[in-house]
Amino acid sequence: MIRRPKPGESEEDLLRLQEEFLAREVASSANVVKKGDKRKNVAGTAQQNRVEKDVVQLPGADPSSGLPMGATSDPPKKKSKFRSSRPAAGDYGVRGQRIEIDLDRDEDPEVAMERHDTHITSVLSKIMEHDTSNAAVHLPRGTTQGFPTALHRGHTTGAQNGKPHKKRSLFAQQFESSTSNQFGVSTEPQSEQPIRAPVSSSIQPHSTHPMRVSDLPMASSSVEENMEMGESIAAESSPQEPHVISGAGLLQGSLDPERARKDIQQIHQENLGRLSAMSEEEILQEQQKLRQMLDPNLLKFLQSKGPSKPTSSSTPTSKPQADSENDSMDTESSAPMATEPIPEEKMTQETSKQRVHFDDNAGGGVDDGKEEQEPEEQEPEEPPIEVKKEWVNMNKVESDKISWLKDMPKPSAKAKEGYQARFDFNGMLVARDADIPVREGLHHHGEEQEVPGYSLEELFTLSRSSVVQQRVLALQTLARVLYNCRISDIGGELMEPLVPKLLEAGVLFLFRWSLDDVNEGVITACIEGLAALLIQPGDESTSDRVFSWYRGSETTPMRPVVEDEEDESGQKIEDKEKSDPQLASQDVIKALLRMSVLERLRYILEVVRPPAPVVLNALAILIRIARHSQEATHEIMKCPRLMQTVFAEFLPLASWKSQGDVVSEAYNYPLIPALKLARVICQNGRHFAATLLTKYNLMSVVVRYASMEPVDMPMNIGEAFQLSTEAFRVWQVCVSYGLACDTYRDLYPLLMQQLQVFQRLSILPLDSTHDASSKAANRLQMTRACTVLSMLEGVIHVAGSAVILQQKQTMRSDEQSQQHPRAPPPPIDWSHVTGLMPPLELCAKRWLAEMTNCSDVLEAEALALAGSSLNFLASVYENWTRQPSYSPVDCLQHIEELVTRLLVPFMTSTSFYSVVCNLKSHSSVSHDGNSSLPIISALPDFSCHPEDQSLVYPCVKQTSSYGFAAGLLRLVTTLLKIHKGMAAKFCPIIESTYVTEYLKAVCKHPHQSSASQLVGSWARYEHHVLYYLVKLYYHVAQQSESCHQYSILYHSTALVLLTSLQSGQEHYVHDLLSTVLFHTDFLAEGRIGDPIASDLADMLTMNGKEETAPSTNSSHQGPTRGELLQDAYDHLGSIRHLYMVYFGAAAQALTRSRARSLHQPHDIDTLSLPEFTGPLVPMDWIFLPLLHLYVEAQKAEMLGKTVKSFPPHILASITDTLRWVFMLETWRPKCLQMVPQAAKVARLYCIFLTGNDLFMEDAVSGFLWPILRIYTQPEYLKALDFNVPVPGVASFHDLYMSILTQYEAVSFGNRLFAHFILLPIQQQFNPSLRKAVWFDRVGVLRSLGLPLRECAIPLTNFLEPKETNPELVEIYLGCVASGSVRPSWSPVMYLVAVSHLSKFLFSRDNLDQVEAVRLKLKMIRQVLALKDKVLQQQILQYQGLDLTQPLGFNLYPQLPLERLEILQAAEQR
């Protein structure tokens, strides 16, 4: 193997290596080849293709490529068939030929090159002179100018006739495109004739030699007009020059070009001869054959080979033409005019000559120029601007483009059904007739160009433009449209909600796809659009305002309620099986999370580093995603480097550069949304808060911003206060879990210093001497103080729970501690917070005293601050009694002093009355449960407007006093728990007219939140107030008898509150059931002799009735109504136990709710409430035990078990349920009006469907009868409606069929059961229910033996209005004729059948309908054919209802004349 040279070797070493290589005689790895120099031109000889330079060629490489093996090169060009058919390069010289030179072993390369080079002699020997003997010769033309004038370069037109030219100088281009006149040289006319050459020396498509029309061969005019195949007979083209058959192939492949040209000319002459010998008809036939044979593309190609359109207005047959005109055409045919545009009239005349053309729709014909012209020549419109010659690139006037400079036409009139919405760049609707200048950019070239503004379709199209500015403009406009729609300020009205339509159109995917753009402007617009789509502008500000209210730190998940979908097999469809559009239509946030929006936002914040507005919008989007659910928060936490970027870039611990009022640089600058994002994440769970504290050192950030006075921060004073406030809010959330309590001990001196500052803070409004900035700073200071007090209240709860945790820890054994470990005691105890009580008590006394003496309206921040101080005091007294150091004497003295000196004076002041009046005006009673702002089912929000408070939910408006009222009532209730002797002091609150009026409004219009609208979750703040009002009455009523007169009002309030409470308020439900609803103090009727009064009222009613009136007393002899009420009152304890057991089934949810309500930090796992699904307790909750029993019985029957009898406790539970229903229907009927009457009857059906004889039990039937009497009263029957869907029942018809089956099987004609069968078949209800009895279950008629006088339902309800269903009337006739219904078996049904039959047969209705008349006559004949003459007489002579008669109706003594005429007519037919 040959050794290669190495670095460092000398020249002698290289020579030695060369000698060794030559001595081995090994074949060389490279050969010397010659490559032509492409820089030199090829003259058409072989001598110029000789070798000009040496090229080293490696073995295995393509010799023609010039590249070594393995190197890449451009792909070879595809050669045409003509080029492939050319002779080889070796036959004659071809440019770029490569010749290999074989060198002998001893031959010098230079000698070989000289031997092969023939030098220039070979080239000179083959030079041929061009024959110009027959070429046309022109004499010089005279001119009137001595020197040409200089022209402007703007007259240069470049390529002419669509032919690209090579790169040439500006002068060459101008010379080619100009005439002699344009160059300033005016020529004189010449009369001599030029000399013509028979054949041009070079074959060109268009000859530049002058010619005359008289030189053309004259054929018949028809042939000239129909000449085709690219050989048009034009005035300026020569018939001796072929156009289609140019002969380029013969010239390229021939060694003798002159002979080739002769052959071409000979072929051309033969073609002309054949054409001249053919007639017009033969030419047309040949054209048709060619059209059928040739390919359309080839046909189009042949047409394109014809000469260009003539520029002369004369026809081929026009002989009187001057030679001077032909001479001028000589110069103008090759280059059109460049300086002056050709008038349209002239162009029309020039193209009006007859020519033969191919028409795809016709067999062939003549294109007559007259057909293309308009019938009447119209004067050209004056252009909107004057085109000047000096303008660059305006040498050719394009009228269609210049027309855009005209004034816009007026928009069309507004359509009756509306018109397409158009928006300006601010996202506002634009009127069609709006006077908007064109320079605003709202007019475009799309549809309805005269109407300003962009439609949504146009914006979507523009957002996909390749121009970045257009994409940004479209995305920004869409973002502003969404924002304006969110706040209902779009500048007009739309027929449909816009945001759902945009979501359906895919605006979410548009923003997400555009978010991946690399352009920063597009990213900015996309972030703005996503923020406008996801965020309701006023939600966050409202949430921040109520954060310091009682339990204001709890948040409701903003996730939509999606029903589970099942596939064909009944399996639940998971989210991962749904497509992105399906998921986006149900939950927008989930769809964004699937599309990796978090990773993209992290990249933008970390790598792109956009400006401050983009960062703020991105953080707002993250906050909205975190509010969605705990699952979404988990996705944020596990996104790589997302939270790390937020903490590192936007929550700096070091000092930062001061900025102005508007933040210009967001990085290394504390941003309030970044801290708020951390707070929202902490609210979603204890584990999230612990992660932020340990992994991201959250408390260092909080201490950094909380320990610094806002006035000392290098930032805007307003932002400084908000940043400090947000830091305390984060601290408050962490303290709610019992976390971050060590920081309290470290910052205790600082907090005490803050409390001393708060003592000097006044909540009274500033006078007019202070400017707006001072008032704003005062409001911010009160908001910050409110947050500090709320955080300290959380510290009180943590310190108060320390002793409880220690007691539980000592009571548990070691084994229990290992199996169920509990949280260790917190690092602070009661001794760490006793110093907070004196300064805060002074603050509360001062602020409450200021409110007592103030007659002005306080600001929202002042009320919130006062309410926070009262909540703090309530928490102190709640936890004080649990401590080992608790002294009852000292505590009671403090309470007495507080009540006497502070609370009682305030409750008798005008400020208290104004607070209570505010409660009524801001109650949810005034809200219909629907939001005024657009509702998006896939993207729920709290529907808060940022500015217009009238669009905000009432109880959380800026002027609402619910936060303060909750704190006040909570403090009073807490004090009464400890010191019951002070109850009489608060009787004025219970008996206050303002309070009672507010409670009456609540009971009169009970509020039911809609499960589909998250706005109803704000009602929980009103629930706090109502709950503590009811609890206050509970404590006061035990000590004061004077309050019992309001027991009905407060008990009704408790019932309404129970059905209004939401998920997360299970503790309130449990407490109301255990202490309020079944307490005797709230049911004072049982103690004041109301049952006896009820019996007396019944006796008086019975004596006042006529003896002929129907009564149910004879059918049921049992306890009186008073006795039943007294029995129910005596069983309140067992009734309470029944409902407590039923509602205590959800123990886990109750435990979590109790931990939040009682403020037990060690048991609170999250401040996020359960998903909002509407009211927690249904409206018909009093019937739930019956439903539960029915469901369990159905499950047992499905397992094959037969329910024959019930154990005593089951029977007792049913009896207690009926007791409670009867008691409420008697004493609290208004509270049950919210339950539809049909739903009540449907719930009672469960008793008849459960078992076979449960309804026959004395205890059960004893309460069913009085309930039936209540439900058959006129006002109840009027409210009964089975025509509408019954809540909780999928199909009432199916339920009624089950009842009929059960009645037929087990009733034995029970009259109680019969009444419930008759209720749905009253005449005002659906005929299908009556048909179910008369047709589907005919056996029921046999056992419906209810006497007429014992029917509790008015019989007129079955008779009026008269039956109009012919099918049902026929069924009546069939039943009575067959004997299925008899007076002795079912008198009620027999009365119904006879009455409706008689009324239908002799009614005057539908006489104009032939079918109805025929049916009536048919039925009359059937009646006349009855064998039962008694029945026949009763039907024909029925007069009306009369309960004094045995059958319940009376008859006409003789048949009326009208009926007689009808009968006679029927008999005649």
Side-chain angles (χ1 to χ4, degrees):
M1 181 176 180
I2 302 176
R3 187 176 67 85
R4 291 181 177 275
K6 296 182 179 180
E9 294 183 347
S10 61
E11 185 178 357
E12 296 179 356
D13 297 332
L14 296 177
L15 292 175
R16 186 174 64 257
L17 290 175
Q18 181 180 1
E19 292 177 358
E20 293 177 0
F21 172 77
L22 295 177
R24 293 190 179 186
E25 299 181 357
V26 181
S28 61
S29 60
N31 297 325
V32 178
V33 297
K34 302 300 180 180
K35 182 177 181 181
D37 191 357
K38 296 182 179 180
R39 293 173 295 179
K40 296 183 179 181
N41 296 329
V42 179
T45 61
Q47 183 65 28
Q48 287 183 323
N49 291 309
R50 294 293 182 179
V51 176
E52 298 180 359
K53 61 180 179 179
D54 297 341
V55 177
V56 179
Q57 176 66 37
L58 298 177
D62 186 7
S64 63
S65 64
L67 296 174
M69 182 177 60
T72 59
S73 62
D74 295 335
K77 295 182 179 179
K78 185 176 180 181
K79 299 180 180 180
S80 64
K81 293 182 180 180
F82 294 100
R83 186 170 182 83
S84 302
S85 62
R86 292 178 182 178
D91 297 342
Y92 54 88
V94 179
R95 185 183 64 179
Q97 178 186 10
R98 298 177 182 177
I99 303 176
E100 293 187 2
I101 302 176
D102 296 332
L103 300 177
D104 295 335
R105 182 175 180 180
D106 299 333
E107 186 176 8
D108 188 7
E110 185 176 356
V111 177
M113 291 178 61
E114 292 291 341
R115 179 167 50 83
H116 286 279
D117 188 12
T118 58
H119 209 251
I120 198 172
T121 56
S122 60
V123 179
L124 295 177
S125 62
K126 294 184 179 181
I127 293 178
M128 299 180 63
E129 187 174 349
H130 193 67
D131 186 11
T132 60
S133 58
N134 296 326
V137 178
H138 296 277
L139 296 177
R141 298 178 180 179
T143 177
T144 58
Q145 294 181 349
F147 194 83
T149 57
L151 299 180
H152 194 272
R153 70 171 185 172
H155 294 278
T156 304
T157 59
Q160 300 295 330
N161 298 330
K163 299 179 182 179
H165 54 71
K166 297 180 181 180
K167 185 176 182 181
R168 288 171 292 180
S169 64
L170 294 176
F171 178 80
Q173 297 178 34
Q174 189 168 2
F175 184 83
E176 180 184 8
S177 61
S178 304
T179 61
S180 58
N181 291 334
Q182 289 174 312
F183 264 93
V185 180
S186 58
T187 57
E188 297 178 354
Q190 297 183 8
S191 59
E192 64 271 19
Q193 299 290 336
I195 303 174
R196 302 294 301 166
V199 180
S200 175
S201 59
S202 62
I203 301 176
Q204 299 176 355
H206 302 278
S207 176
T208 59
H209 296 284
M211 59 178 291
R212 294 183 303 179
V213 179
S214 58
D215 295 337
L216 295 175
M218 301 306 298
S220 62
S221 61
S222 62
V223 175
E224 295 176 2
E225 294 175 355
N226 294 280
M227 191 64 63
E228 193 51 66
M229 304 298 294
E231 202 167 328
S232 178
I233 304 178
E236 72 278 11
S237 60
S238 172
Q240 299 177 357
E241 298 175 355
H243 299 289
V244 178
I245 305 176
S246 59
L250 294 177
L251 288 173
Q252 293 178 359
S254 176
L255 298 176
D256 191 355
E258 289 295 333
R259 183 175 180 83
R261 293 190 183 96
K262 292 181 180 180
D263 293 339
I264 294 171
Q265 185 65 26
Q266 182 180 357
I267 295 172
H268 178 55
Q269 294 296 334
E270 292 178 0
N271 292 336
L272 292 178
R274 289 187 179 183
L275 285 174
S276 60
M278 293 175 65
S279 64
E280 181 179 356
E281 291 77 8
E282 292 175 348
I283 292 177
L284 294 177
Q285 292 178 0
E286 293 298 328
Q287 288 178 1
Q288 185 67 20
K289 291 180 182 180
L290 291 175
R291 186 181 295 106
Q292 297 176 355
M293 294 170 54
L294 297 179
D295 182 75
N297 295 330
L298 178 59
L299 194 64
K300 188 178 297 184
F301 167 75
L302 292 175
Q303 289 177 325
S304 66
K305 299 296 290 181
S308 60
K309 295 182 180 180
T311 58
S312 175
S313 61
S314 61
T315 61
T317 58
S318 58
K319 295 183 179 180
Q321 294 291 336
D323 293 344
S324 60
E325 295 180 358
N326 294 331
D327 294 341
S328 63
M329 290 172 57
D330 180 19
T331 57
E332 296 178 2
S333 61
S334 60
M337 297 291 291
T339 57
E340 296 182 1
I342 302 175
E344 294 182 0
E345 304 86 12
K346 185 176 181 180
M347 292 296 296
T348 304
Q349 295 175 2
E350 290 175 351
T351 58
S352 64
K353 296 193 299 182
Q354 296 178 344
R355 58 185 178 86
V356 180
H357 72 100
F358 286 101
D359 190 358
D360 295 336
N361 299 326
V366 180
D367 185 5
D368 197 319
K370 296 180 180 180
E371 295 179 358
E372 298 180 359
Q373 295 179 357
E374 296 292 335
E376 296 182 1
E377 293 186 0
Q378 298 179 358
E379 296 183 1
E381 297 182 0
E382 184 178 357
I385 61 172
E386 181 182 358
V387 181
K388 298 182 179 181
K389 298 180 179 180
E390 292 80 8
W391 293 353
V392 180
N393 298 329
M394 288 297 291
N395 54 335
K396 182 179 180 181
V397 179
E398 297 176 290
S399 302
D400 55 340
K401 295 182 179 179
I402 295 181
S403 63
W404 285 105
L405 299 177
K406 299 179 181 178
D407 294 336
M408 289 289 102
K410 294 183 179 180
S412 58
K414 179 179 178 181
K416 295 182 180 179
E417 64 275 7
Y419 54 89
Q420 189 178 25
R422 293 186 174 275
F423 303 89
D424 60 10
F425 298 131
N426 293 324
M428 303 294 290
L429 280 173
V430 179
R432 294 178 63 87
D433 55 352
D435 187 12
I436 298 178
V438 181
R439 62 177 179 272
E440 297 294 333
L442 296 178
H443 297 80
H444 48 79
H445 295 185
E447 297 180 357
E448 296 184 328
Q449 56 181 341
E450 68 277 6
V451 181
Y454 285 80
S455 65
L456 295 178
E457 181 181 359
E458 292 166 350
L459 290 175
F460 271 75
T461 304
L462 198 63
S463 65
R464 298 189 295 270
S465 172
S466 59
V467 182
V468 176
Q469 291 82 356
Q470 292 181 348
R471 294 204 307 271
V472 173
L473 182 66
L475 294 172
Q476 284 180 347
T477 305
L478 284 174
R480 292 163 185 171
V481 169
L482 286 169
Y483 180 84
N484 294 335
C485 289
R486 281 290 200 170
I487 62 177
S488 295
D489 185 16
I490 203 169
E493 295 183 1
L494 298 175
M495 299 178 64
E496 297 182 40
L498 187 60
V499 181
K501 289 295 182 182
L502 286 173
L503 281 175
E504 185 180 351
V507 70
L508 178 68
F509 300 98
L510 173 64
F511 285 142
R512 180 60 190 93
W513 296 332
S514 301
L515 193 63
D516 293 333
D517 202 295
V518 298
N519 185 269
E520 187 172 339
V522 177
I523 294 176
T524 301
C526 288
I527 294 291
E528 181 183 356
L530 277 178
L533 174 65
L534 300 180
I535 302 169
Q536 179 64 32
D539 285 355
E540 291 300 326
S541 59
T542 305
S543 300
D544 293 342
R545 186 171 63 251
V546 302
F547 190 83
S548 298
W549 289 10
Y550 177 63
R551 298 178 63 179
S553 59
E554 299 174 1
T555 179
T556 303
M558 299 176 67
R559 64 184 305 172
V561 179
V562 181
E563 297 181 358
D564 295 336
E565 298 181 4
E566 297 181 354
D567 54 12
E568 297 178 355
S569 61
Q571 299 293 330
K572 179 183 177 182
I573 302 178
E574 302 293 338
D575 289 341
K576 60 182 179 181
E577 301 175 1
K578 301 176 183 177
S579 62
D580 287 346
Q582 290 177 339
L583 190 60
S585 64
Q586 297 176 353
D587 196 328
V588 173
I589 300 298
K590 280 188 177 181
L592 281 176
L593 292 177
R594 178 189 284 186
M595 291 186 285
S596 304
V597 70
L598 295 178
E599 289 77 1
R600 183 59 182 171
L601 290 177
R602 190 271 311 160
Y603 175 83
I604 292 173
L605 295 177
E606 182 184 20
V607 179
V608 180
R609 300 175 72 88
V614 182
V615 174
L616 295 177
N617 284 331
L619 293 175
I621 294 173
L622 292 176
I623 292 173
R624 176 60 182 88
I625 295 176
R627 289 193 181 277
H628 176 268
S629 61
Q630 291 183 334
E631 293 80 4
T633 304
H634 177 68
E635 294 293 331
I636 294 177
M637 292 295 292
K638 75 175 186 180
C639 182
R641 303 193 307 279
L642 177 58
M643 293 305 299
Q644 179 180 356
T645 302
V646 172
F647 274 85
E649 301 292 348
F650 312 119
L651 295 174
L653 295 176
S655 59
W656 58 86
K657 183 180 179 181
S658 177
Q659 301 189 33
D661 294 340
V662 179
V663 179
S664 58
E665 179 59 40
Y667 288 84
N668 295 323
Y669 188 82
L671 297 180
I672 301 172
L675 198 56
K676 186 175 185 178
L677 174 63
R679 188 243 296 178
V680 174
I681 291 176
C682 292
Q683 285 178 281
N684 282 316
R686 174 193 294 269
H687 55 293
F688 294 132
T691 302
L692 293 182
L693 289 173
T694 56
K695 185 176 180 180
Y696 299 103
N697 201 11
L698 176 60
M699 283 313 298
S700 299
V701 177
V702 172
V703 172
R704 173 70 175 85
Y705 303 140
S707 60
M708 193 173 184
E709 286 293 332
V711 294
D712 298 333
M713 293 184 182
M715 58 194 313
N716 180 272
I717 186 63
E719 293 183 358
F721 271 105
Q722 294 177 8
L723 182 64
S724 179
T725 301
E726 194 61 49
F728 279 107
R729 287 173 181 164
V730 176
W731 195 356
Q732 175 186 347
V733 173
C734 294
V735 169
S736 300
Y737 302 123
L739 306 174
C741 294
D742 293 334
T743 309
Y744 165 76
R745 294 187 305 180
D746 299 337
L747 297 182
Y748 182 79
L750 178 64
L751 295 174
M752 293 301 296
Q753 182 181 0
Q754 290 292 328
L755 294 181
Q756 293 177 2
V757 174
F758 296 161
Q759 292 178 9
R760 300 189 297 269
L761 184 63
S762 174
I763 64 174
L764 296 177
L766 298 179
D767 52 23
S768 57
T769 58
H770 296 81
D771 55 1
S773 60
S774 301
K775 295 180 179 179
N778 186 50
R779 290 194 296 268
L780 292 173
Q781 190 173 4
M782 287 190 291
T783 302
R784 178 173 177 270
C786 185
T787 308
V788 174
L789 296 185
S790 300
M791 186 275 298
L792 293 178
E793 182 186 356
V795 174
I796 292 293
H797 292 304
V798 175
S801 63
V803 62
I804 300 177
L805 293 177
Q806 292 175 358
Q807 292 175 359
K808 292 181 178 180
Q809 197 74 16
T810 56
M811 293 174 60
R812 296 167 60 88
S813 61
D814 296 337
E815 296 181 359
Q816 292 177 344
S817 300
Q818 294 178 0
Q819 294 177 358
H820 304 283
R822 296 187 64 89
I828 58 176
D829 53 21
W830 193 250
S831 61
H832 294 90
V833 298
T834 53
L836 299 176
M837 295 176 58
L840 279 176
E841 192 171 0
L842 289 176
C843 292
K845 290 181 179 179
R846 175 181 178 176
W847 296 331
L848 211 59
E850 289 179 348
M851 293 183 64
T852 304
N853 301 323
C854 179
S855 58
D856 298 333
V857 178
L858 298 179
E859 295 178 341
E861 294 79 7
L863 285 175
L865 180 56
S868 298
S869 64
L870 298 179
N871 279 317
F872 179 85
L873 292 179
S875 299
V876 168
Y877 285 104
E878 281 180 358
N879 292 274
W880 191 3
T881 57
R882 307 171 188 169
Q883 307 306 317
S885 60
Y886 170 66
S887 175
V889 177
D890 295 340
C891 182
L892 295 179
Q893 289 179 354
H894 276 87
I895 292 175
E896 291 178 359
E897 182 180 359
L898 182 63
V899 170
T900 305
R901 296 185 178 181
L902 188 64
L903 295 179
V904 172
F906 174 73
M907 292 182 179
T908 56
S909 64
T910 57
S911 297
F912 173 75
Y913 296 136
S914 64
V915 169
V916 178
C917 292
N918 184 275
L919 295 180
K920 183 179 178 180
S921 60
H922 290 76
S923 173
S924 58
V925 173
S926 60
H927 197 270
D928 57 358
N930 298 320
S931 173
S932 305
L933 299 175
I935 298 298
I936 310 171
S937 58
L939 196 63
D941 53 65
F942 295 121
S943 301
C944 296
H945 197 278
E947 298 176 357
D948 190 359
Q949 290 297 308
S950 63
L951 301 178
V952 182
Y953 197 81
C955 65
V956 293
K957 290 182 179 179
Q958 192 169 4
T959 56
S960 173
S961 62
Y962 274 95
F964 174 78
L968 176 64
L969 295 174
R970 180 186 172 219
L971 175 61
V972 172
T973 305
T974 304
L975 296 180
L976 290 182
K977 286 182 182 179
I978 303 173
H979 197 331
K980 295 181 173 56
M982 303 300 296
K985 298 284 187 179
F986 298 100
C987 282
I989 298 180
I990 301 299
E991 301 174 357
S992 172
T993 306
Y994 300 98
V995 175
T996 55
E997 290 295 329
Y998 165 61
L999 296 181
K1000 288 178 182 178
V1002 171
C1003 297
K1004 185 177 180 180
H1005 304 283
H1007 175 65
Q1008 283 288 329
S1009 300
S1010 175
S1012 61
Q1013 297 189 10
L1014 195 61
V1015 64
S1017 63
W1018 292 123
R1020 65 181 185 269
Y1021 294 106
E1022 185 175 6
H1023 298 162
H1024 298 326
V1025 174
L1026 292 175
Y1027 171 76
Y1028 281 111
L1029 266 175
V1030 173
K1031 293 294 290 184
L1032 178 61
Y1033 174 84
Y1034 170 75
H1035 293 291
V1036 174
Q1038 293 178 357
Q1039 305 296 327
S1040 177
E1041 293 289 338
S1042 61
C1043 297
H1044 289 174
Q1045 57 179 329
Y1046 299 100
S1047 61
I1048 298 177
L1049 178 60
Y1050 282 90
H1051 190 249
S1052 300
T1053 303
L1055 291 172
V1056 172
L1057 176 61
L1058 182 70
T1059 57
S1060 302
L1061 295 175
Q1062 306 167 0
S1063 300
Q1065 296 179 329
E1066 290 82 2
H1067 171 70
Y1068 285 175
V1069 174
H1070 186 272
D1071 189 61
L1072 289 176
L1073 291 173
S1074 60
T1075 62
V1076 175
L1077 293 180
F1078 306 101
H1079 199 277
T1080 56
D1081 288 337
F1082 289 87
L1083 292 168
E1085 293 90 344
R1087 295 190 303 174
I1088 60 177
D1090 189 76
I1092 300 176
S1094 300
D1095 286 342
L1096 181 59
D1098 291 343
M1099 292 175 61
L1100 295 175
T1101 303
M1102 290 173 57
N1103 293 333
K1105 289 184 178 180
E1106 297 181 1
E1107 295 182 359
T1108 58
S1111 175
T1112 60
N1113 292 335
S1114 59
S1115 63
H1116 172 68
Q1117 298 295 335
T1120 62
R1121 187 162 68 100
E1123 293 173 350
L1124 293 174
L1125 286 173
Q1126 188 62 45
D1127 177 72
Y1129 185 81
D1130 295 338
H1131 286 81
L1132 281 176
S1134 61
I1135 297 173
R1136 170 183 173 275
H1137 176 73
L1138 169 65
Y1139 286 96
M1140 287 289 295
V1141 170
Y1142 181 80
F1143 284 101
Q1148 188 175 4
L1150 178 60
T1151 302
R1152 289 194 293 264
S1153 177
R1154 181 181 291 113
R1156 288 190 296 266
S1157 299
L1158 300 181
H1159 308 284
Q1160 299 171 353
H1162 49 280
D1163 293 330
I1164 298 177
D1165 294 330
T1166 177
L1167 294 178
S1168 178
L1169 298 173
E1171 185 177 346
F1172 180 76
T1173 56
L1176 183 64
V1177 179
M1179 297 182 296
D1180 58 343
W1181 65 275
I1182 58 177
F1183 299 97
L1184 289 183
L1186 301 180
L1187 293 174
H1188 178 72
L1189 179 62
Y1190 170 71
V1191 172
E1192 294 298 327
Q1194 292 294 321
K1195 291 180 180 179
E1197 292 180 0
M1198 293 178 63
L1199 296 176
K1201 300 178 182 180
T1202 303
V1203 182
K1204 296 182 179 180
S1205 60
F1206 293 94
H1209 69 278
I1210 297 296
L1211 186 60
S1213 64
I1214 296 177
T1215 306
D1216 286 339
T1217 303
L1218 294 177
R1219 287 189 180 107
W1220 183 239
V1221 172
F1222 177 60
M1223 190 183 304
L1224 291 182
E1225 290 287 3
T1226 304
W1227 288 341
R1228 304 288 184 269
K1230 294 183 179 180
C1231 297
L1232 298 182
Q1233 287 180 355
M1234 66 183 74
V1235 184
Q1237 197 66 24
K1240 298 178 183 178
V1241 175
R1243 274 37 170 195
L1244 292 178
Y1245 278 166
C1246 296
I1247 299 177
F1248 299 97
L1249 293 174
T1250 304
N1252 297 331
D1253 55 354
L1254 179 62
F1255 61 92
M1256 296 183 182
E1257 295 288 342
D1258 294 337
V1260 176
S1261 62
F1263 282 97
L1264 279 176
W1265 275 111
I1267 293 175
L1268 176 64
R1269 295 190 192 100
I1270 294 174
Y1271 290 168
T1272 54
Q1273 293 177 3
E1275 59 271 15
Y1276 283 87
L1277 290 176
K1278 186 178 179 180
L1280 185 63
D1281 189 2
F1282 292 105
N1283 295 329
V1284 297
V1286 180
V1289 179
S1291 173
F1292 182 78
H1293 185 272
D1294 296 342
L1295 176 63
Y1296 189 63
M1297 294 296 293
S1298 302
I1299 283 291
L1300 293 177
T1301 304
Q1302 186 78 350
Y1303 179 83
E1304 188 177 4
V1306 302
S1307 68
F1308 300 102
N1310 183 272
R1311 297 180 180 180
L1312 174 64
F1313 203 163
H1315 276 91
F1316 283 92
I1317 293 295
L1318 294 176
L1319 279 174
I1321 63 174
Q1322 298 178 69
Q1323 196 62 22
Q1324 68 265 28
F1325 300 136
N1326 198 322
S1328 62
L1329 299 177
R1330 299 193 291 277
K1331 192 179 297 184
V1333 177
W1334 288 90
F1335 183 76
D1336 298 332
R1337 293 290 186 270
V1338 184
V1340 174
L1341 301 174
R1342 176 67 178 83
S1343 56
L1344 273 175
L1346 182 65
L1348 294 174
R1349 295 180 59 83
E1350 294 182 7
C1351 183
I1353 307 172
L1355 294 177
T1356 54
N1357 291 357
F1358 301 99
L1359 306 180
E1360 298 294 340
K1362 58 185 178 182
E1363 188 62 62
T1364 58
N1365 191 333
E1367 183 181 1
L1368 197 54
V1369 176
E1370 285 185 307
I1371 295 175
Y1372 291 161
L1373 179 58
C1375 289
V1376 295
S1378 63
S1380 300
V1381 178
R1382 299 181 182 180
S1384 59
W1385 292 352
S1386 50
V1388 176
M1389 307 307 289
Y1390 186 82
L1391 171 64
V1392 171
V1394 173
S1395 175
H1396 286 299
L1397 274 171
S1398 179
K1399 293 178 180 179
F1400 181 81
L1401 295 178
F1402 299 107
S1403 66
R1404 293 287 182 176
D1405 299 335
N1406 301 327
L1407 294 179
D1408 55 342
Q1409 299 180 6
V1410 179
E1411 294 296 332
V1413 174
R1414 289 178 179 176
L1415 179 61
K1416 289 183 180 181
L1417 295 177
K1418 174 186 174 182
M1419 295 181 64
I1420 289 175
R1421 289 192 292 267
Q1422 292 177 355
V1423 172
L1424 295 176
L1426 288 175
K1427 297 180 180 180
D1428 190 350
K1429 299 303 179 181
V1430 177
L1431 174 62
Q1432 181 184 30
Q1433 181 185 9
Q1434 291 173 352
I1435 296 175
L1436 297 178
Q1437 298 183 220
Y1438 173 83
Q1439 183 177 6
L1441 178 65
D1442 187 1
L1443 294 179
T1444 59
Q1445 301 296 325
L1447 297 179
F1449 58 89
N1450 53 13
L1451 304 176
Y1452 286 106
Q1454 58 182 4
L1455 199 63
L1457 181 60
E1458 294 181 356
R1459 296 190 179 186
L1460 184 60
E1461 294 176 353
I1462 295 175
L1463 293 178
Q1464 292 175 356
E1467 290 176 351
Q1468 291 176 0
R1469 295 191 180 185

